[in-house]
Amino acid sequence: MRLRWSLLLLSLAFCPMADAQVEVKGYIVDSATQERLPSASVSLLREGKPLKFTRTDASGFFVISVPVCLEKDELQAVSMGHRKLQQPVVRGKENVLRMSASAFCLKEVQVKGARVFGVQDTVTYDLTRFADARDNSLKDVLKKLPGVDVDAKSGLITYNGKSINRFTVEGLDLTGGRYNQLEDNLKAKDVKKAEIIEHDQPVKALRNKVFTDNVAMNIGLKEEARDRLLLTLSPYLLVGEPTHVGGSVTLMQMGKKKQRMYEVSYDRTGKDLMQGLNVLGTYSDRLETASLPSWLSVPSLQAPLDDDRLRFNTSQKYTVNELRKGKQDAEWRFNASYLRSVIRQHTMNVSSYRLGDEAPVTTSQDQQLTLFSDDFTAEAEHKVNTDHAYGNEFIRLKASQNDGLSAFSDTLRQRIRVPQIGLTASLYRLFSLRHGQLSWRSVADYQQSLSDLYVNAMRTPLNTRLWHTAHTLGWLRKQGYFTQQYTAGVDLQNLNIGTDNLRLALSLTPYWQYERGSLLVSLTPAVSLERFCHQQQSFCLLHPSLYLRQRIGHRSEWTLFGSYRQQTGDWSLFGLRSYRSDYRSYCQAADFVPLLKTLSTYLSYDYKRPIEEFFFHGSVTAARHWSNAAADLQIEGGNYFTTLTSQHALHDDVCMKAGVSKGFYRLHLKTSLDGSATYAQGCQLSAGRRTDYRVQSYVLTPMVEYTSSWCALSYEGNFLWHASKAGSMTSTRLFGWKQTLSATATIGRVDVAYSLMHLRNELQEGSERTTLLSDISVVCRLKAVRLTARLSNLFNKRSYEETRYSGISTFTDAYSLRPRETLLTAQLTL
């Protein structure tokens, strides 16, 4: 009896201890999207062994109750499509487990990959499912992808309406953003996949801390194509005026640790070799260099059509691209290029200006242009990119000369020669400390130009030198949902044009970001102080901005951006008091520093269903611009006199865009429809009189592309409606289009292609001009050689006219086209 009572009292004493439980709680989120993950498995580990198990609820929250929580206990999270995660338990607080996305395998099950699939912010295209035997280069495959557009002229890639900011192959950027070279030289048979990464943050130490709206594309190669040294020879014979030979040689090796590409080209077919040297995508966070102001207008090639139809050229290009990857993702990159070209073009122009209620003022010009251009660029970059530090050293040497010779009549000739040299060096360092991140960025650059304007025998020289250096110091810290960053900077530049013009600027840029789940809000109340020593003027400039992003699931995203920006005008507006920019243009600059103010807002909506190959994007942009300087234009005797006066000026513009793209893989079909509407209003001064103007334009661009094993059809249209009104004069209207249709039939290893371009342009005299341009080509695909015969300008059209509208101005231009030509090309890859 006594033993029974003793056991009862002992059990009562230990009951409170048995009921006392410790709760280990928290939630699981995706590290990229910050969205919570439901139904994820969570285990409490003690000495590496599971102690208790649970799953997250619909909001990603979990609770595990245990009698006691030890110091070395760990939490383990498992979720399909994500990497397994283990981390120590934080006692007394909510545990936040951030899981990163990862591919996964199912044992004893064969999973066939989809042609298009998406995980979080990444959409992957299986290029082997889109390519066929007709495709020669990567560009041919990319233009078939739903949601992806490739500009035929520049090679610029856009995804759902957004331009690609970073282009890599096997994760490496060989060309420093000049990815047009890779689009043309990577073979379609060698590429495996294309990955599109939205909200790309290339600096690893800033991922999940600093948000970006950038879009990146990474190309994956087939295993057999990696690290192979490929030599491609592409000679050609052009039968025309004159008959000659040319071509290119390309040596390429692409891998995960080392990449290189060398190219030599000689061309007289009208191809624009400069396109391969343009930077199309940039993602570096280096400080920007200063821009050397331009006061002389070197005539340039005008190309309203495809460049190769009206460019009479002799061009040669040499490029060197080298990249090596070391330990801890360190990269060494070197790029060098030289382009020499001689371009000839014959153009005629009639310009009409409505400068008041009187009759329009008309000028005309008949120009025989010979343009000599040389462009040399060499740059080297070293980069270290880890989860805790980032470093970037960059140096560039650039030398160029544009020399334009223009003959307007037997008694009037002009030559404008603008040589320019520039040297840039920059440094960027970012370190992760205990409670935040510290960053330092610096840039120093020097540019000089000794330009000449010759009008007949009269010479006007202009010597310009610009020194510039800038430095910023930043500190960043992320705590939970809140990120704060503070950046202080100094910018110093001196422009010498006979006298020194010193500009000193100090800036402070706070950045506050709140991100929780699908919502992200950031505020940047930036302020800067500027002092122009020679002009003895100082400014306090405000440029705050607000950004808001709201995701709706994984398919939809709203973006709202608003900003107010005050900035001083470019040196060209006030640095040189008076100058002559060409044979008939005289300018009087301001005797003060112009101040520009802009209030702008941007609203966009993006929707995508990659697996269904459906994409939609729409945006509205509105801006109001104020300035304390206005340009007064007067035309007398065919000469232009522009004076920048101290007067209030106002300009408004609104632009609405929308686009939808739908692919039908089983039908081998890709379709898209893009549209835009713009409205602008402002005023123009002439002899002190004010002329208000309004401009409206609407553009509709449908596109259809069909590709099957035996044929390919492609259609693209561009329909333009334009209306403008100046003062009380009758409004002018314009309607025109450009339609391109191409068809390719495949018989065995032979492709026969025919293309037709139909253009309709309304001219300012009220008449219209219709032009038909046609080409035909035959491609024979042998085992190691690709032979092409092309007959261009089948109807032998020798001229083209179009009319353009711009506020108070109307321009009608006439161009000489290349004649009918036959081009024979061979492409051999070794």
PDB file of all heavy atoms in Angstrom, residues 178 289 334-338 374-381 394-400 420-426 444-448:
ATOM      1  N   ARG A 178      29.323  41.461 -77.010  1.00  0.00           N
ATOM      2  CA  ARG A 178      29.188  41.530 -78.478  1.00  0.00           C
ATOM      3  C   ARG A 178      28.733  40.170 -79.004  1.00  0.00           C
ATOM      4  O   ARG A 178      29.427  39.525 -79.815  1.00  0.00           O
ATOM      5  CB  ARG A 178      30.513  41.964 -79.097  1.00  0.00           C
ATOM      6  CG  ARG A 178      31.046  43.292 -78.557  1.00  0.00           C
ATOM      7  CD  ARG A 178      32.484  43.527 -78.989  1.00  0.00           C
ATOM      8  NE  ARG A 178      33.023  44.756 -78.433  1.00  0.00           N
ATOM      9  CZ  ARG A 178      33.603  44.865 -77.236  1.00  0.00           C
ATOM     10  NH1 ARG A 178      33.722  43.778 -76.467  1.00  0.00           N
ATOM     11  NH2 ARG A 178      34.059  46.006 -76.801  1.00  0.00           N
ATOM     12  N   THR A 289      32.015  55.760 -67.982  1.00  0.00           N
ATOM     13  CA  THR A 289      32.985  56.771 -68.407  1.00  0.00           C
ATOM     14  C   THR A 289      32.242  58.027 -68.856  1.00  0.00           C
ATOM     15  O   THR A 289      31.031  58.011 -69.101  1.00  0.00           O
ATOM     16  CB  THR A 289      33.841  56.243 -69.559  1.00  0.00           C
ATOM     17  OG1 THR A 289      32.981  55.954 -70.679  1.00  0.00           O
ATOM     18  CG2 THR A 289      34.567  54.979 -69.151  1.00  0.00           C
ATOM     19  N   PHE A 334      40.192  38.819 -72.797  1.00  0.00           N
ATOM     20  CA  PHE A 334      40.873  39.789 -73.661  1.00  0.00           C
ATOM     21  C   PHE A 334      40.152  39.830 -74.994  1.00  0.00           C
ATOM     22  O   PHE A 334      39.853  38.792 -75.588  1.00  0.00           O
ATOM     23  CB  PHE A 334      42.335  39.406 -73.872  1.00  0.00           C
ATOM     24  CG  PHE A 334      43.044  40.302 -74.860  1.00  0.00           C
ATOM     25  CD1 PHE A 334      43.442  41.584 -74.501  1.00  0.00           C
ATOM     26  CD2 PHE A 334      43.280  39.877 -76.163  1.00  0.00           C
ATOM     27  CE1 PHE A 334      44.074  42.412 -75.405  1.00  0.00           C
ATOM     28  CE2 PHE A 334      43.913  40.700 -77.070  1.00  0.00           C
ATOM     29  CZ  PHE A 334      44.319  41.978 -76.692  1.00  0.00           C
ATOM     30  N   ASN A 335      39.837  41.044 -75.450  1.00  0.00           N
ATOM     31  CA  ASN A 335      39.190  41.249 -76.743  1.00  0.00           C
ATOM     32  C   ASN A 335      39.914  42.356 -77.500  1.00  0.00           C
ATOM     33  O   ASN A 335      40.290  43.374 -76.904  1.00  0.00           O
ATOM     34  CB  ASN A 335      37.724  41.645 -76.579  1.00  0.00           C
ATOM     35  CG  ASN A 335      36.926  40.663 -75.753  1.00  0.00           C
ATOM     36  OD1 ASN A 335      36.740  40.862 -74.571  1.00  0.00           O
ATOM     37  ND2 ASN A 335      36.478  39.581 -76.368  1.00  0.00           N
ATOM     38  N   ALA A 336      40.104  42.151 -78.778  1.00  0.00           N
ATOM     39  CA  ALA A 336      40.701  43.177 -79.636  1.00  0.00           C
ATOM     40  C   ALA A 336      40.040  43.090 -81.008  1.00  0.00           C
ATOM     41  O   ALA A 336      39.704  41.996 -81.484  1.00  0.00           O
ATOM     42  CB  ALA A 336      42.205  43.004 -79.756  1.00  0.00           C
ATOM     43  N   SER A 337      39.852  44.242 -81.641  1.00  0.00           N
ATOM     44  CA  SER A 337      39.237  44.264 -82.969  1.00  0.00           C
ATOM     45  C   SER A 337      39.732  45.472 -83.743  1.00  0.00           C
ATOM     46  O   SER A 337      40.060  46.517 -83.162  1.00  0.00           O
ATOM     47  CB  SER A 337      37.709  44.303 -82.857  1.00  0.00           C
ATOM     48  OG  SER A 337      37.284  45.492 -82.216  1.00  0.00           O
ATOM     49  N   TYR A 338      39.767  45.305 -85.046  1.00  0.00           N
ATOM     50  CA  TYR A 338      40.091  46.418 -85.942  1.00  0.00           C
ATOM     51  C   TYR A 338      39.205  46.312 -87.168  1.00  0.00           C
ATOM     52  O   TYR A 338      39.070  45.240 -87.772  1.00  0.00           O
ATOM     53  CB  TYR A 338      41.558  46.392 -86.355  1.00  0.00           C
ATOM     54  CG  TYR A 338      41.871  47.419 -87.434  1.00  0.00           C
ATOM     55  CD1 TYR A 338      41.853  48.784 -87.154  1.00  0.00           C
ATOM     56  CD2 TYR A 338      42.138  47.019 -88.739  1.00  0.00           C
ATOM     57  CE1 TYR A 338      42.119  49.722 -88.134  1.00  0.00           C
ATOM     58  CE2 TYR A 338      42.411  47.954 -89.735  1.00  0.00           C
ATOM     59  CZ  TYR A 338      42.396  49.301 -89.426  1.00  0.00           C
ATOM     60  OH  TYR A 338      42.652  50.235 -90.407  1.00  0.00           O
ATOM     61  N   ASP A 374      37.931  54.008 -89.539  1.00  0.00           N
ATOM     62  CA  ASP A 374      38.841  53.078 -88.887  1.00  0.00           C
ATOM     63  C   ASP A 374      38.429  52.994 -87.420  1.00  0.00           C
ATOM     64  O   ASP A 374      38.186  54.020 -86.774  1.00  0.00           O
ATOM     65  CB  ASP A 374      40.284  53.552 -88.992  1.00  0.00           C
ATOM     66  CG  ASP A 374      40.781  53.572 -90.425  1.00  0.00           C
ATOM     67  OD1 ASP A 374      40.592  54.608 -91.107  1.00  0.00           O
ATOM     68  OD2 ASP A 374      41.339  52.565 -90.869  1.00  0.00           O
ATOM     69  N   ASP A 375      38.398  51.773 -86.900  1.00  0.00           N
ATOM     70  CA  ASP A 375      37.995  51.590 -85.510  1.00  0.00           C
ATOM     71  C   ASP A 375      38.831  50.468 -84.894  1.00  0.00           C
ATOM     72  O   ASP A 375      38.792  49.330 -85.354  1.00  0.00           O
ATOM     73  CB  ASP A 375      36.509  51.229 -85.431  1.00  0.00           C
ATOM     74  CG  ASP A 375      35.987  51.260 -84.005  1.00  0.00           C
ATOM     75  OD1 ASP A 375      36.339  50.352 -83.226  1.00  0.00           O
ATOM     76  OD2 ASP A 375      35.224  52.178 -83.672  1.00  0.00           O
ATOM     77  N   PHE A 376      39.596  50.820 -83.847  1.00  0.00           N
ATOM     78  CA  PHE A 376      40.410  49.839 -83.135  1.00  0.00           C
ATOM     79  C   PHE A 376      40.017  49.847 -81.655  1.00  0.00           C
ATOM     80  O   PHE A 376      39.914  50.909 -81.032  1.00  0.00           O
ATOM     81  CB  PHE A 376      41.896  50.153 -83.261  1.00  0.00           C
ATOM     82  CG  PHE A 376      42.766  49.297 -82.371  1.00  0.00           C
ATOM     83  CD1 PHE A 376      43.068  47.984 -82.729  1.00  0.00           C
ATOM     84  CD2 PHE A 376      43.253  49.785 -81.174  1.00  0.00           C
ATOM     85  CE1 PHE A 376      43.840  47.185 -81.907  1.00  0.00           C
ATOM     86  CE2 PHE A 376      44.031  48.991 -80.344  1.00  0.00           C
ATOM     87  CZ  PHE A 376      44.332  47.688 -80.711  1.00  0.00           C
ATOM     88  N   THR A 377      39.787  48.676 -81.096  1.00  0.00           N
ATOM     89  CA  THR A 377      39.443  48.534 -79.683  1.00  0.00           C
ATOM     90  C   THR A 377      40.187  47.349 -79.106  1.00  0.00           C
ATOM     91  O   THR A 377      40.221  46.274 -79.713  1.00  0.00           O
ATOM     92  CB  THR A 377      37.927  48.319 -79.490  1.00  0.00           C
ATOM     93  OG1 THR A 377      37.210  49.418 -80.057  1.00  0.00           O
ATOM     94  CG2 THR A 377      37.581  48.214 -78.011  1.00  0.00           C
ATOM     95  N   ALA A 378      40.802  47.549 -77.939  1.00  0.00           N
ATOM     96  CA  ALA A 378      41.439  46.457 -77.196  1.00  0.00           C
ATOM     97  C   ALA A 378      41.051  46.610 -75.736  1.00  0.00           C
ATOM     98  O   ALA A 378      41.155  47.704 -75.169  1.00  0.00           O
ATOM     99  CB  ALA A 378      42.960  46.491 -77.357  1.00  0.00           C
ATOM    100  N   GLU A 379      40.577  45.533 -75.131  1.00  0.00           N
ATOM    101  CA  GLU A 379      40.173  45.590 -73.728  1.00  0.00           C
ATOM    102  C   GLU A 379      40.533  44.291 -73.020  1.00  0.00           C
ATOM    103  O   GLU A 379      40.541  43.214 -73.628  1.00  0.00           O
ATOM    104  CB  GLU A 379      38.681  45.882 -73.586  1.00  0.00           C
ATOM    105  CG  GLU A 379      37.767  44.868 -74.230  1.00  0.00           C
ATOM    106  CD  GLU A 379      36.312  45.294 -74.162  1.00  0.00           C
ATOM    107  OE1 GLU A 379      36.046  46.510 -74.259  1.00  0.00           O
ATOM    108  OE2 GLU A 379      35.440  44.418 -74.030  1.00  0.00           O
ATOM    109  N   ALA A 380      40.865  44.429 -71.740  1.00  0.00           N
ATOM    110  CA  ALA A 380      41.212  43.285 -70.907  1.00  0.00           C
ATOM    111  C   ALA A 380      40.448  43.397 -69.600  1.00  0.00           C
ATOM    112  O   ALA A 380      40.273  44.496 -69.057  1.00  0.00           O
ATOM    113  CB  ALA A 380      42.714  43.238 -70.645  1.00  0.00           C
ATOM    114  N   GLU A 381      39.980  42.251 -69.093  1.00  0.00           N
ATOM    115  CA  GLU A 381      39.193  42.227 -67.866  1.00  0.00           C
ATOM    116  C   GLU A 381      39.585  41.027 -67.028  1.00  0.00           C
ATOM    117  O   GLU A 381      39.768  39.914 -67.538  1.00  0.00           O
ATOM    118  CB  GLU A 381      37.700  42.174 -68.187  1.00  0.00           C
ATOM    119  CG  GLU A 381      36.806  42.159 -66.957  1.00  0.00           C
ATOM    120  CD  GLU A 381      35.335  42.006 -67.303  1.00  0.00           C
ATOM    121  OE1 GLU A 381      35.043  41.394 -68.355  1.00  0.00           O
ATOM    122  OE2 GLU A 381      34.489  42.493 -66.547  1.00  0.00           O
ATOM    123  N   PHE A 394      39.356  46.338 -65.135  1.00  0.00           N
ATOM    124  CA  PHE A 394      39.050  46.480 -66.551  1.00  0.00           C
ATOM    125  C   PHE A 394      39.858  47.623 -67.129  1.00  0.00           C
ATOM    126  O   PHE A 394      39.993  48.688 -66.507  1.00  0.00           O
ATOM    127  CB  PHE A 394      37.549  46.759 -66.720  1.00  0.00           C
ATOM    128  CG  PHE A 394      37.123  47.023 -68.140  1.00  0.00           C
ATOM    129  CD1 PHE A 394      36.910  45.982 -69.021  1.00  0.00           C
ATOM    130  CD2 PHE A 394      36.920  48.324 -68.596  1.00  0.00           C
ATOM    131  CE1 PHE A 394      36.504  46.226 -70.317  1.00  0.00           C
ATOM    132  CE2 PHE A 394      36.524  48.579 -69.879  1.00  0.00           C
ATOM    133  CZ  PHE A 394      36.313  47.520 -70.750  1.00  0.00           C
ATOM    134  N   ILE A 395      40.414  47.404 -68.325  1.00  0.00           N
ATOM    135  CA  ILE A 395      41.148  48.460 -69.029  1.00  0.00           C
ATOM    136  C   ILE A 395      40.807  48.369 -70.513  1.00  0.00           C
ATOM    137  O   ILE A 395      40.649  47.268 -71.061  1.00  0.00           O
ATOM    138  CB  ILE A 395      42.665  48.337 -68.793  1.00  0.00           C
ATOM    139  CG1 ILE A 395      43.389  49.538 -69.403  1.00  0.00           C
ATOM    140  CG2 ILE A 395      43.211  47.016 -69.322  1.00  0.00           C
ATOM    141  CD1 ILE A 395      44.848  49.618 -69.020  1.00  0.00           C
ATOM    142  N   ARG A 396      40.663  49.532 -71.146  1.00  0.00           N
ATOM    143  CA  ARG A 396      40.296  49.559 -72.563  1.00  0.00           C
ATOM    144  C   ARG A 396      41.016  50.699 -73.275  1.00  0.00           C
ATOM    145  O   ARG A 396      41.121  51.810 -72.751  1.00  0.00           O
ATOM    146  CB  ARG A 396      38.796  49.741 -72.724  1.00  0.00           C
ATOM    147  CG  ARG A 396      38.342  49.881 -74.201  1.00  0.00           C
ATOM    148  CD  ARG A 396      36.844  49.903 -74.311  1.00  0.00           C
ATOM    149  NE  ARG A 396      36.267  51.007 -73.559  1.00  0.00           N
ATOM    150  CZ  ARG A 396      35.036  51.014 -73.081  1.00  0.00           C
ATOM    151  NH1 ARG A 396      34.254  49.957 -73.229  1.00  0.00           N
ATOM    152  NH2 ARG A 396      34.576  52.054 -72.413  1.00  0.00           N
ATOM    153  N   LEU A 397      41.502  50.404 -74.468  1.00  0.00           N
ATOM    154  CA  LEU A 397      42.089  51.395 -75.370  1.00  0.00           C
ATOM    155  C   LEU A 397      41.253  51.416 -76.635  1.00  0.00           C
ATOM    156  O   LEU A 397      41.018  50.375 -77.249  1.00  0.00           O
ATOM    157  CB  LEU A 397      43.539  51.048 -75.695  1.00  0.00           C
ATOM    158  CG  LEU A 397      44.209  51.919 -76.767  1.00  0.00           C
ATOM    159  CD1 LEU A 397      44.327  53.363 -76.295  1.00  0.00           C
ATOM    160  CD2 LEU A 397      45.577  51.367 -77.142  1.00  0.00           C
ATOM    161  N   LYS A 398      40.811  52.601 -77.021  1.00  0.00           N
ATOM    162  CA  LYS A 398      39.968  52.732 -78.209  1.00  0.00           C
ATOM    163  C   LYS A 398      40.468  53.888 -79.056  1.00  0.00           C
ATOM    164  O   LYS A 398      40.681  54.999 -78.548  1.00  0.00           O
ATOM    165  CB  LYS A 398      38.512  52.970 -77.802  1.00  0.00           C
ATOM    166  CG  LYS A 398      37.538  53.019 -78.974  1.00  0.00           C
ATOM    167  CD  LYS A 398      36.113  53.154 -78.490  1.00  0.00           C
ATOM    168  CE  LYS A 398      35.134  53.216 -79.653  1.00  0.00           C
ATOM    169  NZ  LYS A 398      35.146  51.987 -80.466  1.00  0.00           N
ATOM    170  N   ALA A 399      40.666  53.626 -80.333  1.00  0.00           N
ATOM    171  CA  ALA A 399      41.089  54.654 -81.287  1.00  0.00           C
ATOM    172  C   ALA A 399      40.239  54.524 -82.541  1.00  0.00           C
ATOM    173  O   ALA A 399      40.030  53.415 -83.051  1.00  0.00           O
ATOM    174  CB  ALA A 399      42.564  54.502 -81.623  1.00  0.00           C
ATOM    175  N   SER A 400      39.733  55.648 -83.029  1.00  0.00           N
ATOM    176  CA  SER A 400      38.863  55.608 -84.199  1.00  0.00           C
ATOM    177  C   SER A 400      39.033  56.887 -85.003  1.00  0.00           C
ATOM    178  O   SER A 400      39.502  57.915 -84.495  1.00  0.00           O
ATOM    179  CB  SER A 400      37.397  55.445 -83.788  1.00  0.00           C
ATOM    180  OG  SER A 400      36.965  56.559 -83.029  1.00  0.00           O
ATOM    181  N   GLN A 420      39.680  60.177 -82.902  1.00  0.00           N
ATOM    182  CA  GLN A 420      39.433  60.171 -81.465  1.00  0.00           C
ATOM    183  C   GLN A 420      40.178  59.015 -80.824  1.00  0.00           C
ATOM    184  O   GLN A 420      40.242  57.909 -81.376  1.00  0.00           O
ATOM    185  CB  GLN A 420      37.927  60.045 -81.185  1.00  0.00           C
ATOM    186  CG  GLN A 420      37.544  60.180 -79.722  1.00  0.00           C
ATOM    187  CD  GLN A 420      36.043  60.260 -79.529  1.00  0.00           C
ATOM    188  OE1 GLN A 420      35.329  60.812 -80.360  1.00  0.00           O
ATOM    189  NE2 GLN A 420      35.560  59.688 -78.447  1.00  0.00           N
ATOM    190  N   ILE A 421      40.751  59.274 -79.649  1.00  0.00           N
ATOM    191  CA  ILE A 421      41.434  58.235 -78.886  1.00  0.00           C
ATOM    192  C   ILE A 421      40.965  58.298 -77.447  1.00  0.00           C
ATOM    193  O   ILE A 421      40.692  59.389 -76.916  1.00  0.00           O
ATOM    194  CB  ILE A 421      42.973  58.399 -78.971  1.00  0.00           C
ATOM    195  CG1 ILE A 421      43.662  57.194 -78.314  1.00  0.00           C
ATOM    196  CG2 ILE A 421      43.431  59.710 -78.356  1.00  0.00           C
ATOM    197  CD1 ILE A 421      45.159  57.155 -78.558  1.00  0.00           C
ATOM    198  N   GLY A 422      40.807  57.128 -76.823  1.00  0.00           N
ATOM    199  CA  GLY A 422      40.325  57.086 -75.451  1.00  0.00           C
ATOM    200  C   GLY A 422      40.964  55.937 -74.690  1.00  0.00           C
ATOM    201  O   GLY A 422      41.197  54.849 -75.236  1.00  0.00           O
ATOM    202  N   LEU A 423      41.261  56.170 -73.423  1.00  0.00           N
ATOM    203  CA  LEU A 423      41.840  55.164 -72.537  1.00  0.00           C
ATOM    204  C   LEU A 423      41.021  55.130 -71.252  1.00  0.00           C
ATOM    205  O   LEU A 423      40.783  56.171 -70.636  1.00  0.00           O
ATOM    206  CB  LEU A 423      43.300  55.475 -72.232  1.00  0.00           C
ATOM    207  CG  LEU A 423      44.026  54.491 -71.310  1.00  0.00           C
ATOM    208  CD1 LEU A 423      44.100  53.110 -71.964  1.00  0.00           C
ATOM    209  CD2 LEU A 423      45.424  55.004 -70.977  1.00  0.00           C
ATOM    210  N   THR A 424      40.587  53.937 -70.852  1.00  0.00           N
ATOM    211  CA  THR A 424      39.733  53.767 -69.674  1.00  0.00           C
ATOM    212  C   THR A 424      40.290  52.673 -68.784  1.00  0.00           C
ATOM    213  O   THR A 424      40.713  51.618 -69.280  1.00  0.00           O
ATOM    214  CB  THR A 424      38.298  53.386 -70.089  1.00  0.00           C
ATOM    215  OG1 THR A 424      37.762  54.410 -70.938  1.00  0.00           O
ATOM    216  CG2 THR A 424      37.412  53.222 -68.871  1.00  0.00           C
ATOM    217  N   ALA A 425      40.276  52.920 -67.470  1.00  0.00           N
ATOM    218  CA  ALA A 425      40.646  51.906 -66.478  1.00  0.00           C
ATOM    219  C   ALA A 425      39.647  51.981 -65.336  1.00  0.00           C
ATOM    220  O   ALA A 425      39.304  53.077 -64.876  1.00  0.00           O
ATOM    221  CB  ALA A 425      42.063  52.136 -65.962  1.00  0.00           C
ATOM    222  N   SER A 426      39.157  50.821 -64.887  1.00  0.00           N
ATOM    223  CA  SER A 426      38.177  50.814 -63.805  1.00  0.00           C
ATOM    224  C   SER A 426      38.480  49.684 -62.831  1.00  0.00           C
ATOM    225  O   SER A 426      39.112  48.680 -63.179  1.00  0.00           O
ATOM    226  CB  SER A 426      36.750  50.668 -64.353  1.00  0.00           C
ATOM    227  OG  SER A 426      36.507  49.358 -64.801  1.00  0.00           O
ATOM    228  N   ALA A 444      38.776  55.824 -64.241  1.00  0.00           N
ATOM    229  CA  ALA A 444      39.549  56.961 -64.750  1.00  0.00           C
ATOM    230  C   ALA A 444      39.633  56.819 -66.262  1.00  0.00           C
ATOM    231  O   ALA A 444      39.928  55.727 -66.771  1.00  0.00           O
ATOM    232  CB  ALA A 444      40.944  57.000 -64.130  1.00  0.00           C
ATOM    233  N   ASP A 445      39.362  57.897 -66.996  1.00  0.00           N
ATOM    234  CA  ASP A 445      39.416  57.822 -68.448  1.00  0.00           C
ATOM    235  C   ASP A 445      39.885  59.153 -69.024  1.00  0.00           C
ATOM    236  O   ASP A 445      39.677  60.225 -68.436  1.00  0.00           O
ATOM    237  CB  ASP A 445      38.059  57.419 -69.044  1.00  0.00           C
ATOM    238  CG  ASP A 445      36.924  58.319 -68.584  1.00  0.00           C
ATOM    239  OD1 ASP A 445      36.516  58.188 -67.418  1.00  0.00           O
ATOM    240  OD2 ASP A 445      36.459  59.148 -69.383  1.00  0.00           O
ATOM    241  N   TYR A 446      40.513  59.042 -70.195  1.00  0.00           N
ATOM    242  CA  TYR A 446      41.010  60.204 -70.924  1.00  0.00           C
ATOM    243  C   TYR A 446      40.607  60.048 -72.380  1.00  0.00           C
ATOM    244  O   TYR A 446      40.742  58.971 -72.975  1.00  0.00           O
ATOM    245  CB  TYR A 446      42.535  60.305 -70.809  1.00  0.00           C
ATOM    246  CG  TYR A 446      43.142  61.332 -71.746  1.00  0.00           C
ATOM    247  CD1 TYR A 446      43.044  62.692 -71.479  1.00  0.00           C
ATOM    248  CD2 TYR A 446      43.788  60.936 -72.921  1.00  0.00           C
ATOM    249  CE1 TYR A 446      43.587  63.630 -72.329  1.00  0.00           C
ATOM    250  CE2 TYR A 446      44.337  61.874 -73.784  1.00  0.00           C
ATOM    251  CZ  TYR A 446      44.232  63.230 -73.488  1.00  0.00           C
ATOM    252  OH  TYR A 446      44.767  64.159 -74.341  1.00  0.00           O
ATOM    253  N   GLN A 447      40.106  61.140 -72.976  1.00  0.00           N
ATOM    254  CA  GLN A 447      39.694  61.118 -74.377  1.00  0.00           C
ATOM    255  C   GLN A 447      40.145  62.407 -75.054  1.00  0.00           C
ATOM    256  O   GLN A 447      40.128  63.475 -74.445  1.00  0.00           O
ATOM    257  CB  GLN A 447      38.169  60.992 -74.483  1.00  0.00           C
ATOM    258  CG  GLN A 447      37.617  59.734 -73.843  1.00  0.00           C
ATOM    259  CD  GLN A 447      36.107  59.687 -73.867  1.00  0.00           C
ATOM    260  OE1 GLN A 447      35.497  59.664 -74.939  1.00  0.00           O
ATOM    261  NE2 GLN A 447      35.499  59.683 -72.695  1.00  0.00           N
ATOM    262  N   GLN A 448      40.546  62.264 -76.305  1.00  0.00           N
ATOM    263  CA  GLN A 448      41.003  63.424 -77.071  1.00  0.00           C
ATOM    264  C   GLN A 448      40.577  63.289 -78.516  1.00  0.00           C
ATOM    265  O   GLN A 448      40.543  62.192 -79.084  1.00  0.00           O
ATOM    266  CB  GLN A 448      42.524  63.575 -77.002  1.00  0.00           C
ATOM    267  CG  GLN A 448      43.037  64.809 -77.750  1.00  0.00           C
ATOM    268  CD  GLN A 448      44.517  65.042 -77.558  1.00  0.00           C
ATOM    269  OE1 GLN A 448      45.203  64.258 -76.905  1.00  0.00           O
ATOM    270  NE2 GLN A 448      45.025  66.133 -78.112  1.00  0.00           N
TER     271      GLN A 448
END
